[in-house]
């Protein structure tokens, strides 16, 4: 993005400048003194150098006046393209670099008066005229006219470059606004993600509809990146942009997200992952699970789906489907508990004993007699 | 959809029955003749606005008055020997967490007669495929009647009416000549119990577990235990109703039942020693939300790249 432009201000050294500045300088150069303009000014002035310089400057200023808005518009559009191709932080860095480069160029224009060179050229011109060296005289006259005109037009160039700096600053301000917008968007999406269910890692809820979840996610990332860049509000933001951009990008991305087809019977890995997430607070403790060699729970995921209710009248046209009202996933976990492993089972027994004591030993907390109380648990 | 006799005993089970009715009618518009429902409660009068497949049997008995003549009642001896604090329970206001009092009411001959009659009639209606087919056809509903009907029994583990009613139902259906599959759902005791009743609820549940365990001698009876924290009672009742809906109406209901019988724990199941605890977790995840999460995650990661983070 940094190139070596042709110098337009007479400076002979090659300076590395951002390409947008190089383009601008090149365009300015072509507008300032086009090919043949010097000869034309000399011809119109009847050979008088000062008059030729004045003609040249006037023509250049007229051209600049006509073209400056267009040039700065192009300059701004180049920056827009740059904004769309770079990550925001790099774009901001780029704007800072560009602004600095323009300021340096302005500084060069101020410092490079060219008076010494002009004096030398005028002295050489006098010598060549005395010697009658016509070709050299003509060349020097053109050089002097062009150099003097450029010298006088430097102030115009500086003015335009300062306006270019202002354009860069505008983009810098826009970038700051877009940055704030992106942060707000990021925060909003983060909040919504927090409210959405977090699914177990490694569980492919797209079933046979998707072979490679990682590949899908990589693709979605790239697509989202491209969509966000296209939709960034460089021309100003409004409060509604957040929702609008989120929804429009989501809609576009969802076209590539397959339908969820969760297997009803989860794999062993998926069960493990799910259990890590679910609050299985009422389960058997780890120690008891070991003590009783408990099998792993059986998990069944109830998925919202249509229920078919065939109606005779419509058999010919197929089944009538009634939508199940449920729109949420329900996870059922079945665990076999030996009753001795039931949490706080000892407390249950104790409560039973106390109730029986309160009723003189009768099992009023039972719907049947327990003749052999001692056999209850071990029976 | 599958044929079933459903019995709901006691207040908690009645709440579940109502939730199931709402779910069925919300989804299928109407209650279907495939499901015969019995509700019992220790009150004097039951509701009247029930679907025709439903039967509400108030298990009321003036126990304090009957106590005077208990020796002449056709009841088991152990009931007659129960202390007067049990016979003094006014069943118009529930069984006061005393399963023994509820058991007396269930055992009274006229209640027993009503229960047996309804159960036999319900079973006959469900197993008379021709007649059922006609009835369904009249309602313009066609269902595969190939699956055997089964029994669902629901009651609170820590209560009284549910406790007595569940055992009453198990004893009837486990002796039924057709030996239908019996799925029992015990709810609690922790869900919904107050601090004062906590010990009693646990004691009742302890006894009910033991009683159920004594009956788990054949692979006909499968007992599920559902419980939650006290403040999650409403959610638990709703989820229990939802699960019953799965067994009755969803396509995978039959597969689930088969798995309980033959599948996931067949080799490890030890009848008479285990209950199957069911924990239900609702992931508030409309399926669209799963897809949206993928999209938003991609967008979030793209934003971070864009911001150069």
């Amino acid at each position: 993005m940094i190139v070596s432009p042709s110098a337009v201000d007479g400076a002979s050294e090659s300076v590395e400048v951002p390409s947008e500045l190089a383009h601008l300088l090149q365009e300015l150069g072509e507008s300032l003194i086009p090919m043949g303009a010097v000869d034309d000014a000399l011809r119109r002035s009847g050979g008088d150098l000062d008059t030729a310089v004045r003609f040249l400057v006037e023509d250049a200023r007229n051209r600049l006046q006509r073209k400056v808005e267009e040039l700065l518009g192009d300059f701004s559009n180049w920056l827009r393209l740059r904004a769309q191709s770079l990550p925001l932080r790099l774009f901001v860095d780029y704007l800072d670099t560009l602004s600095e480069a323009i300021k340096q160029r302005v500084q060069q224009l101020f410092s490079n008066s060219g008076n010494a060179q002009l004096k030398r050229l005028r002295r050489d011109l006098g010598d060549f005229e005395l010697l009658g060296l016509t070709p050299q005289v003509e060349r020097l006259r053109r050089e002097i006219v062009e150099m003097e005109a450029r010298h006088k037009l430097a102030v115009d160039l500086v003015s335009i470059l300062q306006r270019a700096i202002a354009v860069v600053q505008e983009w810098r301000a826009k970038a700051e606004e877009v940055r704030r917008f992106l942060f707000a968007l990021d925060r909003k999406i983060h909040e919504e993600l927090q409210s959405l269910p977090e699914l177990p890692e490694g569980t492919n809820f797209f079933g046979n509809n998707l072979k490679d979840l990682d590949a899908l996610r990589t693709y979605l990332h790239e697509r989202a990146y491209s969509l966000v860049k296209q939709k960034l509000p460089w021309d100003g933001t409004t409060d509604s942009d957040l929702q609008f951009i989120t929804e429009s990008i989501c809609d576009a991305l969802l076209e590539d997200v397959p339908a969820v087809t969760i297997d009803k019977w989860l794999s062993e890995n998926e069960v493990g992952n799910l259990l890590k997430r679910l609050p299985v607070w009422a389960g058997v403790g780890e120690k008891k699970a070991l003590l009783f060699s408990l099998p792993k729970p059986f998990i069944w995921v109830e998925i919202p789906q249509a229920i078919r209710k065939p109606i005779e009248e419509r058999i010919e046209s197929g089944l009538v489907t009634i939508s199940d009202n449920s729109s949420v996933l329900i996870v059922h976990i079945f665990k076999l508990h030996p009753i001795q492993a039931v949490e706080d089972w000892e407390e249950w027994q104790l409560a039973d004993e106390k109730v029986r004591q309160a009723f003189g030993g009768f099992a009023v907390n039972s719907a049947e007699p327990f003749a052999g109380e001692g056999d209850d648990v071990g029976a | 959809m599958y044929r079933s006799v459903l019995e709901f005993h006691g207040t908690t089970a009645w709440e579940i029955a109502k939730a199931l009715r709402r779910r069925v009618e919300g989804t299928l518009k109407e209650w279907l003749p495939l499901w015969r429902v019995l509700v019992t409660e220790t009150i004097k009068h039951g509701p009247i606005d029930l679907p025709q497949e439903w039967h509400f049997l108030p298990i009321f008995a003036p126990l304090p008055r009957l106590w005077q003549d208990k020796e002449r009642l056709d009841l088991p001896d152990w009931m007659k020997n129960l202390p007067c604090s049990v016979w003094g329970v006014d069943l118009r206001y529930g069984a006061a967490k005393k399963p023994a009092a509820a058991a007396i009411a269930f055992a009274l001959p006229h209640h027993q007669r009503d229960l047996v009659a309804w159960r036999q009639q319900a079973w006959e209606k469900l197993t008379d495929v021709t007649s059922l087919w006609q009835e369904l056809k009249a309602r313009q509903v066609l269902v595969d009647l190939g699956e055997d009907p089964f029994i669902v029994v629901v009651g609170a583990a820590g209560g009284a009416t549910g406790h007595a009613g569940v055992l009453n139902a198990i004893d009837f259906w486990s002796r039924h000549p057709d030996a239908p599959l019996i799925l029992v759902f015990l709810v609690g005791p922790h869900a919904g119990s107050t601090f004062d009743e906590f010990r009693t609820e646990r004691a009742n549940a302890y006894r009910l577990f033991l009683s159920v365990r004594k009956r788990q001698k054949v692979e006909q009876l499968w007992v599920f235990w559902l419980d939650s924290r006290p403040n999650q009672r409403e959610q638990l009742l709703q989820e229990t109703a939802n699960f019953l809906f799965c067994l009755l109406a969803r396509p995978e209901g039959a597969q689930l039942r088969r798995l309980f019988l033959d599948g996931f724990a067949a080799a490890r199941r030890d009848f008479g020693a285990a209950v199957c605890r069911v924990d239900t977790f609702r992931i508030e995840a409309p399926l669209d939300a799963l897809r949206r999460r993928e999209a938003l995650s991609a967008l979030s990661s793209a934003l971070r790249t864009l911001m150069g983070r």
Side-chain angles (χ1 to χ4, degrees), chain A residues 87-89 182-183 185-186 189 192-193 196-199 206 217 220-221 224-225 228-229 232 246-247 249-250 253-254 257-260 262 264-265 278-282 295 298 300 302-303 305 307-313 315 322-339 342 344-345 347-349 351-352 354-356 359 362 364-370 373 376-379, chain B residues 1 23 26-28 30 78 81-83 85-86 98-100 103 137 140-142 163-164 167 189-190 199-200 202-207 209-211 213-215 222 224-225 228-229 232 239 242-243 245-246 249-252 255-256 259-260 264-265 268-269 273-287 289-309:
Chain A
L88 188 66
R89 190 173 54 78
L182 287 177
F183 270 102
L185 192 59
D186 187 48
I189 290 166
E192 186 174 344
L193 279 172
L196 287 174
E198 190 174 4
L199 298 169
F206 301 102
R217 286 177 172 160
L220 288 177
H221 169 89
Y225 182 84
V228 174
K229 286 201 71 66
L232 281 180
T246 305
E247 292 311 319
I249 293 176
C250 260
L253 292 177
L254 283 172
V257 181
V260 175
I262 309 168
K264 293 179 184 71
W265 323 103
L278 292 175
V280 193
W281 61 272
F298 164 71
W300 170 57
E302 184 188 339
I303 308 149
Q305 67 180 79
I307 292 174
R308 283 174 179 169
K309 183 187 178 191
I311 296 181
E312 190 182 33
E313 285 179 348
I315 281 179
I322 296 171
S323 172
D324 188 340
N325 284 344
S326 170
S327 61
V328 297
L329 284 183
I330 303 172
V331 180
H332 301 276
I333 300 182
F334 301 91
K335 290 174 289 185
L336 278 174
H337 283 52
I339 54 175
V342 168
D344 300 331
W345 185 243
E347 297 290 324
W348 295 40
Q349 286 176 279
D352 172 57
K354 291 204 170 181
V355 170
R356 272 190 293 149
F359 290 94
F362 285 94
V364 299
N365 51 327
S366 175
E368 64 181 358
F370 277 83
E373 291 285 345
D376 286 353
V377 175
Chain B
M1 294 181 209
R23 177 72 200 274
T27 306
L28 305 171
E30 61 179 342
W78 73 273
N81 294 330
L82 286 166
S85 57
V86 173
K98 292 187 179 68
K137 195 177 171 187
Q140 297 184 323
V141 176
L142 288 183
H163 182 135
L167 292 183
H190 300 107
R199 180 194 288 167
T200 312
R202 271 192 173 177
N204 291 351
Y206 173 82
R207 284 282 154 185
F209 273 41
L210 294 183
S211 292
R213 190 182 131 184
K214 284 198 321 191
R215 288 160 173 78
W222 246 96
F224 299 89
W225 171 39
S228 70
R229 292 189 175 99
Q232 294 171 317
E239 293 305 341
N242 286 340
F243 184 61
F245 181 82
C246 292
R250 283 176 60 97
E252 62 268 39
Q255 197 175 353
L256 264 180
L259 277 168
F260 294 141
F264 75 96
R268 297 165 293 207
R269 195 171 55 199
V275 292
C276 180
R277 164 120 197 171
V278 181
D279 287 321
T280 297
F281 299 95
R282 178 172 284 261
I283 301 180
E284 292 295 339
L287 294 191
L290 300 182
R291 298 177 70 238
R292 186 172 174 86
R293 185 177 182 89
E294 286 299 329
L296 283 178
S297 296
L299 181 51
S300 176
S301 104
L303 284 177
R304 277 151 208 276
T305 307
L306 195 63
M307 289 188 288
R309 285 197 210 161

Side-chain angles (χ1 to χ4, degrees), chain B residues 110-147:
Chain B
H110 64 288
H111 284 156
Q112 202 52 38
R113 206 167 38 243
D114 288 348
L115 285 164
V116 169
W118 184 88
R119 284 166 176 154
Q120 282 176 342
Q121 191 186 36
W123 187 253
E124 282 166 15
K125 277 183 179 292
L126 281 190
T127 50
D128 182 352
V129 174
T130 311
S131 163
L132 182 61
W133 177 263
Q134 292 299 328
E135 198 174 349
L136 288 164
K137 195 177 171 187
R139 295 208 206 176
Q140 297 184 323
V141 176
L142 288 183
V143 182
D144 178 9
L145 299 177
E147 291 280 339

Side-chain angles (χ1 to χ4, degrees), chain B residues 217-269:
Chain B
K217 301 297 184 194
V218 288
E219 297 204 0
Q220 182 190 0
L221 175 63
W222 246 96
V223 183
F224 299 89
W225 171 39
L226 304 104
D227 203 355
S228 70
R229 292 189 175 99
N231 63 0
Q232 294 171 317
R233 176 183 164 84
E234 288 308 313
Q235 188 186 342
L236 180 72
L237 301 188
Q238 187 59 50
E239 293 305 341
T240 305
N242 286 340
F243 184 61
L244 291 179
F245 181 82
C246 292
L247 288 171
L248 298 175
R250 283 176 60 97
E252 62 268 39
Q255 197 175 353
L256 264 180
R257 275 182 285 117
R258 271 184 223 110
L259 277 168
F260 294 141
L261 284 177
D262 315 321
F264 75 96
R268 297 165 293 207
R269 195 171 55 199

Side-chain angles (χ1 to χ4, degrees), chain A residues 224-240:
Chain A
Y225 182 84
S226 155
L227 287 167
V228 174
K229 286 201 71 66
Q230 286 170 22
K231 292 179 185 295
L232 281 180
W234 287 107
D235 296 319
T237 61
T238 63
D239 290 342
S240 61

